[in-house]
Each structure stands twice: as C-alpha cells, then as structure tokens.
C-alpha cells in the first residue's frame, strides 16, 4: 500500500526551508540600500570637497590674475611719481597709489609662497593655502627674486627717504624687470588654473564612480529619492563647471583690463625722454620701444631692425668692432652682469648722422644695458639710449677753459722773473715772426703741384723754420720755458714735413694750426704782462744812468747772454763761459741792436752745442773750454745732405764753412733743445747777409778755435727836411 505527499506542504520544516529564500531579497535590497546610502554619503562628501576646491581655486586664480594687473599698475604709479617729481608737481597721490599697490602685491605674492590671510578680490580676507605644486613654487621663487630688491627700493621711496637719483634708479630697475615679473605672474595664473583643474578632476573621479554605483543600485532598487539626489549632485557638478567658465570669463575681462593698462604704459613710453628698447640674442629690436628712440636715431620703424647693424652706419670701424664684441658679452651666460656692465664702451660715443644738406651731423650718445633672465639664461637685454651731446660739449668747454687757465698760469710763472722791457721786446719779436710765417703761408703759392712748386714749398718751410727757431732762441735767452717748448713742438712738425718726399698745400694746415696756437699764447703773454705790471708797485723811480757806462739795454743783453751760456752749458754738461765787451754792445747802432741780439743768441747756442767737446775729451787734450769747428765732420754731413757733389774734388775749408749756413744743416745726429734743427746759423746768415747786406767771415784752426766776424754796413742818417 503506497502513500503520496501533498503539494501544499505547510509543515514546519517547509516553512523553515522557505524562510531563507524570503529573507534573501530583503537582505539583497538591504545591502543595495546600504550601498546606495553609502554611495550617497560618498557623493555628498566628494561634492563638498569639489565645491570647496572650486571656490578656493577660483579665488587663487583671481588673485593670480590680479597680480598681473598690479605689476602694470605699479609701473604706471612709479612712472607717474617720477614724472610729478620732475615736473615739480605734488606726487602725494601717485605715492599713495604706489604704496597701496606695492603692499597688496607683496602680501599676495607672499601668500602664494607661505600661505596665510590675504585680501581677496571681493574685498574680504581669504585664507590662502601655500602653493604645493613644484612648478608653482618655482615660479613664485623666481618672481620673488625679482620683486624683493624692487620692494626694498619702493620702501625707501614710500617712506620719503629716497633721493631723485634713487627714484630714477628704481624706475630703471622697474623698467628692466617689469616685463619679467609680468611674465611670471601670467605663468603663475596659468599654472594655478592647471592645478585647479587637476584638483577638481581628483575630487570628481571618486564621486563619478560612486554615482555610477548609486545609479546601478537605483536600477535594482525602485525609488526616486536616491535618483533625485543623484540628479541634484549632477546639477551641483554642472554648477561647479559653470563657475569655472565664469572664472575664465573673469580672466578674459582682466586680460582686457591689462590691455588697457598696457596702452597706458605705451602712452608713458611715448613721452619719456630716453630711447628705451629690448633686443634679443640676435640683437633684433623688439616691437615696443619709446618714441624718443626714433628721434635719437633719426629713423622711423625701428622695430625688427638689428641694433648692431644700425650702429655700424654711425660708428668708426674700430668702435663698431668693439661694440660687436661687447654685445656678444651681454648675452654670454658665463660672464657676470656686473663685470660686463663695468666695461661698457658705449657710455659716451660720438656718432655721425648723414646731413640732408650735405656732410654729417655729429652727436654724442650714451648707452646703458640690463640683462633679462629666463630660466637662468639671458633671453633679452634692456637698452636705454640718451642724447648726451649738450653734456659732452659742456665738459669739453670746461676742460678747454681749464687748459687755458693752466697754460696762462704756466706763462705767468715763466715771465715773473723777466724784465718788463725784455718781455715787451720778446712779444714784438714773436709778433714779427708770426707775421712773417703768415706771409710765407699765402694760399696762392700752393695751387700748382710742380717740381718748381715743390722747391718753393720747401723754401717756404725753411722761412717758417727760421722764424720759429728765432722765437725759440729768444725764449731760451729769456728762460721762457713755455714758449721754448711750444717752439720746439712747432719745429718737430716742420722737421716731419721737410722729411717728406713730396709736399702739398694741405700739409701746411698743421703749420697754420701751430701758428694759431703760438699767436694765442702771445695774446695770453701780452694780457698777463699787462696784469702783472698793474700788480707791481711803481713807488720807486729808476736810478739815473751813468753817462760813461754801458746802456741798460746793452747791460741786460750782456747779462742775458752770460745766463744763456751758463744754462746751455749746464744742460749739455759742457763747462763753458762767455766773455763780452759790454761797451762794444753799447756802441751798436740803434737800428742794429735787434739784429746783433738775435745773431749773438744763435752764435752762443751754436758755439756751445757744436764747438765745445765733452769735458772728458777736453781734459784728455789738456785744453780749457773753448770752441772747435770740425771741418771733417762738416764735409761728411754736407756730402750726405747733397750740399757737395759726391765726385767733386776735396773742397776748400772756406767752401766747407759755407755749408754750416745752409737751411736744415746740422752735424748733430739727434735734435735737442739747443741744436740739431739746422736753423741757427741759417738765421745768422739770413739776418746779417740777406737782410742787412753785411758779410760773415769764418776763421778756424781745427782743435784750437773757431771765429766768426760779422760786418754790417752803416745805417744812413735820415735826410733833414
């Protein structure tokens, strides 16, 4: 017999078996509800973090953008302050603006570096966190390295302790670093935006994952509450994105404001009185420069031009090569800027601009340079150019005035020991000789370049040489060292010209200049003598002259010749003395006194320089200090100078003696203050023979003596009317 179970088994065992199956869905739904709830909590948490990060980053982005604008406003305020100082206006408003902006800029920049409370863009304090991004930290450090030195200088200005020179230096420093600071602030803004997006993405990714889990749970668990919450979370995310877009729009607005600030800076650049520009490593002028630069270089459209090529047309070849080397140094990262700036060759240089009317316009320019570094390397150089022509010309005038004073003082000290009558006579001699030089330099004689003309030019040079040598002889006689040196320098120029194989009219320009210099010295001499006479007391009257004694003029000449002999003997180290008959000088006719004076001066100088042997040689010969005429040496010098034909028979002593009177003839190998020019005896011959119509006799015995006898015709008495 079989037994069947009922399909609707309601036994306690069956109920116990079905109970787990009924609890499983509840358990699953409970777990899903917990997942949804946990996901919701996670979404809420990350949403709050996202909102906080978005708000915080928006404020940091706004502050970074504001820093760019503040750097431009600082420059504008500083330039306005300098302009008010120069114009004599009240700079208080500009100073207050400068203080406010620089303080705000400094506090915010420090806030980016170390964190802390800073004034926000909305006027409320904002607790800014310190920058954590390594790239942000690098940008902030480099910006601070440029800003802190400027901030110290601004502190001095704001506190009122800065001199105008310090203000100008601060302005130059701002001009040199403003662009770099602006670039760093722009880079900081971009980097802040980048880190903000990274932080938002870091907060949004976990939230998105939780949303996905919650959505999946929603598909499994009926209900709209969790779905609505997910929707609200999505809306909040969209709001955050919208806020980012709004921040970007605000940055665009700030960029527009920066453009307006740049336009304001450009207007300032149009009024600054210096040429300001930037050049790159290829020396190309940047697109922005001051308007004054075009005025200085007399050329428009300078942007994009090569500054070195521009200077090449204005400088000499040597100066251009130096400038090119210096430009290379400016961009050499191995060279320290301070060392490079110390060797600036363009502090003051002369440039030549073509003159539309013909010729050139000469100006003086002054250049200063400052390097601009990017990532530790020189990327650009800031250049300031000034037209300093007026300053240089003033310095030249001051130096010339100083030279005139020194020259007049030297002349004054040199004439104080000279008798006034002798000084007047010397001035007359110089005047006569300068007139003779001027007569020898007539322009019409230099027009034709022919062999005959060459001889004529050389003859003219010898005439000038005689005049200058006579001036020097009288200067030596009176111990007027200044005029002796001036005449020696003049003779050196003449000797250089006579040594040239060919002469032209332009060669005489140096003579004209030297003559003008001597004439200016003569003017100073006459003026100083007049002042000296006025200063001296005229209380005592001169003692009456003894009728039987030599005249004062002849005594002065004798004393002067003796002093001249002693001076020359001391200079040459040749013991010598001169014996004079003072009465013989006294009986010289009045019209011959100047001729005798000039002749005796030249003979005394020539005798000691050429006729007296060195002391050791004379001591070896057992002779006292007397003169000697060396005919053999004269013969050799005459042959080498072409005064005697090389194939001519042995010349007579008289013929050799005549050679010593030839222009430029000297037995000395080197010229000195007393001999070697070959003009002294030429002057004697010209004055005695050519001008006075006299004659000269020379008698000598080698090793014993040399005697010159001068014969002058009598001066006819003036006819009585």
């Amino acid at each position: 017999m079989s037994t069947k179970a009922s399909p609707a088994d309601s036994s306690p065992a069956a109920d116990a078996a079905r109970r787990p199956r009924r609890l499983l869905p509840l358990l699953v739904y409970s777990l899903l509800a917990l997942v949804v709830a946990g996901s919701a909590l996670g979404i809420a948490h990350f949403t709050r973090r996202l909102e906080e990060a978005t708000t915080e980053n928006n404020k940091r982005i706004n502050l970074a953008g504001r820093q760019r604008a503040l750097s431009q406003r600082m420059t504008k305020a500083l330039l306005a302050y300098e302009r008010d100082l120069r114009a004599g206006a009240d700079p208080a408003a500009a100073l207050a603006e400068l203080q406010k902006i620089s303080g705000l800029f400094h506090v915010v920049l420090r806030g980016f570096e170390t964190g802390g409370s800073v004034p926000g863009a909305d006027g409320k304090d904002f607790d800014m966190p310190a920058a954590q991004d390594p790239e942000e930290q690098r940008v902030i450090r480099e910006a601070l390295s440029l800003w802190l030195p400027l901030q110290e200088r601004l502190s001095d200005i704001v506190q009122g302790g800065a001199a105008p020179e310090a203000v100008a230096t601060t302005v130059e420093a701002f001009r040199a670093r403003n662009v770099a600071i602006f670039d760093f602030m722009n880079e900081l803004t971009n980097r802040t935006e980048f880190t903000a997006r990274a932080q938002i993405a870091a907060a949004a990714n976990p939230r998105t994952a939780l949303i996905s889990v919650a959505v999946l749970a929603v598909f499994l668990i009926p209900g709209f509450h969790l779905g609505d919450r997910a929707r609200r979370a999505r809306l909040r995310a969209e709001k955050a994105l919208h806020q980012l877009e709004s921040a970007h729009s605000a940055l665009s607005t700030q960029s527009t404001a920066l453009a307006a600030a740049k336009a304001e800076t450009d207007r300032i650049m149009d009024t600054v009185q210096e040429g300001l520009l930037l050049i790159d490593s290829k020396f190309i002028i940047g697109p922005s420069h001051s308007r004054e630069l075009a005025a200085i270089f007399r050329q428009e459209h300078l942007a994009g031009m090569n500054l070195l090529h521009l200077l090449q047309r204005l400088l000499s070849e040597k100066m251009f090569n130096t400038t090119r080397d210096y430009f290379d140094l400016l961009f050499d990262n191995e060279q320290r800027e301070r060392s490079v700036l110390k060797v600036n060759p363009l502090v003051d240089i002369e440039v030549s601009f073509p003159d539309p009317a013909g010729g050139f316009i000469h100006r003086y320019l002054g250049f200063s340079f400052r390097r601009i570094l990017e990532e530790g390397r020189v990327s650009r150089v800031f250049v300031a150019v000034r037209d300093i022509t007026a300053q240089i010309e003033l310095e030249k005038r001051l130096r010339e005035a100083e030279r005139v004073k020194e020259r007049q003082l030297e002349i004054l000290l040199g004439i104080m020991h000279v008798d006034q009558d002798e000084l007047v006579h010397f001035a007359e001699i110089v005047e006569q000789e300068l007139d003779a030089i001027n007569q020898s330099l007539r322009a019409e004689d230099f027009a034709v370049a022919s062999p005959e003309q060459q001889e004529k030019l050389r003859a003219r040079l010898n005439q000038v040489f005689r005049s200058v040598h006579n001036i020097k002889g009288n200067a030596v006689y009176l111990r007027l060292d200044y005029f002796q040196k001036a005449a020696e320098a003049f003779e050196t120029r003449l000797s250089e010209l006579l040594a040239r194989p060919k002469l032209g009219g332009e060669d005489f320009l140096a003579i004209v200049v030297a003559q003008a210099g001597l004439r200016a010295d003569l003017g100073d001499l006459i003026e100083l003598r007049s002042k000296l006479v006025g200063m001296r007391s005229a209380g005592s009257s001169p003692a009456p002259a003894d009728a039987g004694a030599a005249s004062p003029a002849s005594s002065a000449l004798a004393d002067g010749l003796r002093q001249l002999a002693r001076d020359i003997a001391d200079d040459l180290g040749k013991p010598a003395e001169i014996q004079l008959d003072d009465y013989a000088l006294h009986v010289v006719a009045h019209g011959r006194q100047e001729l005798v004076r000039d002749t005796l001066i030249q003979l005394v100088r020539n005798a000691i320089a050429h006729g007296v042997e060195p002391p050791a040689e004379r001591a070896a010969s057992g002779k006292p200090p007397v003169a000697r005429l060396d005919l053999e040496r004269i013969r050799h010098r005459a042959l080498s100078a072409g005064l005697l034909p090389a194939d001519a028979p042995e010349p007579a002593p008289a013929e050799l003696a005549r050679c010593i009177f030839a222009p430029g003839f000297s037995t000395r190998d080197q010229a000195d203050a007393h001999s070697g020019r070959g003009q002294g005896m030429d002057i004697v011959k010209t004055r005695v023979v050519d001008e006075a119509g006299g004659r000269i006799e020379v008698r000598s015995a080698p090793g014993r003596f040399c005697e010159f006898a001068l014969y002058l015709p009598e001066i006819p008495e003036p006819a009585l009317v």
Side-chain angles (χ1 to χ4, degrees), residues 614-629:
E617 184 178 339
R618 298 195 59 78
S621 302
K623 296 190 300 182
V626 297
R628 183 181 75 181
L629 187 63

Side-chain angles (χ1 to χ4, degrees), residues 50-71:
L50 182 62
E51 290 175 347
E52 291 171 358
T54 301
T55 302
E56 179 179 278
N57 283 318
N58 284 342
K59 290 183 178 181
R60 293 182 83 247
I61 291 170
N62 289 336
L63 289 175
R66 188 179 66 179
Q67 287 295 87
R68 296 187 301 184
L70 290 178
S71 67

Side-chain angles (χ1 to χ4, degrees), residues 279-281 283 307 323-337 339-346 367-373 377-383:
I279 59 174
D280 60 17
S281 58
F283 318 135
L307 179 60
T323 302
R324 180 180 57 199
D325 294 340
Y326 184 69
F327 275 29
D328 291 336
L329 277 179
L330 285 172
F331 285 92
D332 187 348
N333 293 284
E334 301 299 326
Q335 304 296 328
R336 298 182 60 184
E337 182 177 31
S339 300
V340 173
L341 296 181
K342 283 183 179 180
V343 297
N344 179 9
L346 304 179
F367 288 77
S368 59
F369 303 90
R370 289 294 183 276
R371 287 173 165 178
I372 297 176
L373 301 179
R377 301 187 65 82
V378 182
S379 62
R380 287 172 293 178
V381 170
F382 173 79
V383 184

Side-chain angles (χ1 to χ4, degrees), residues 3 33 71 218 244 262 281 316 336 417 491 540 655 688:
T3 303
S71 67
V218 166
L244 286 176
K262 183 179 183 302
S281 58
S316 65
R336 298 182 60 184
H417 70 281
E491 287 182 333
S540 58
E655 187 176 358
V688 174

Side-chain angles (χ1 to χ4, degrees), residues 491-504:
E491 287 182 333
T492 300
R493 295 191 186 96
L494 292 169
S495 297
E496 292 172 353
L497 289 178
L498 285 171
R500 295 182 181 179
K502 186 177 180 180
L503 294 172

Side-chain angles (χ1 to χ4, degrees), residues 587-664:
V587 299
V588 174
H590 181 72
R592 300 296 191 195
Q593 289 178 353
E594 183 176 338
L595 185 150
V596 170
R597 167 197 168 108
D598 292 346
T599 302
L600 290 177
I601 288 174
Q602 298 301 332
L603 286 175
V604 169
R605 298 177 69 227
N606 191 276
I608 298 176
H610 293 283
V612 178
E613 305 95 323
E617 184 178 339
R618 298 195 59 78
S621 302
K623 296 190 300 182
V626 297
R628 183 181 75 181
L629 187 63
D630 190 342
L631 293 179
E632 182 61 23
R633 185 168 180 79
I634 292 174
R635 185 180 71 82
H636 284 298
R637 297 293 278 187
L639 286 172
S640 62
L643 298 176
L644 295 175
D647 55 353
E650 185 69 22
E655 187 176 358
L656 288 176
R658 278 195 294 272
C659 292
I660 67 176
F661 297 101

Side-chain angles (χ1 to χ4, degrees), residues 218-299:
V218 166
F219 280 102
L220 299 175
I221 301 176
F224 300 99
H225 178 72
L226 294 178
D228 182 64
R229 187 159 185 173
R231 181 179 60 84
R232 290 197 300 269
R234 186 170 59 255
L235 289 176
R236 284 194 294 270
E238 291 175 355
K239 181 180 178 181
L241 292 175
H242 178 71
Q243 288 176 343
L244 286 176
E245 292 175 356
S246 299
H248 181 73
S249 177
L251 288 177
S252 299
T253 303
Q254 291 177 354
S255 297
T256 303
L258 287 176
K262 183 179 183 302
E264 187 73 14
T265 302
D266 290 341
R267 283 192 289 273
I268 295 174
M269 291 285 281
D270 288 342
T271 59
V272 70
Q273 298 299 309
E274 284 185 280
L276 306 179
L277 66 148
L278 291 172
I279 59 174
D280 60 17
S281 58
K282 295 182 178 179
F283 318 135
I284 302 299
I285 299 175
S288 299
H289 58 77
S290 63
R291 183 181 297 275
E292 184 67 15
L293 186 67
I296 290 175
F297 283 105
R298 302 170 185 266
Q299 184 173 340

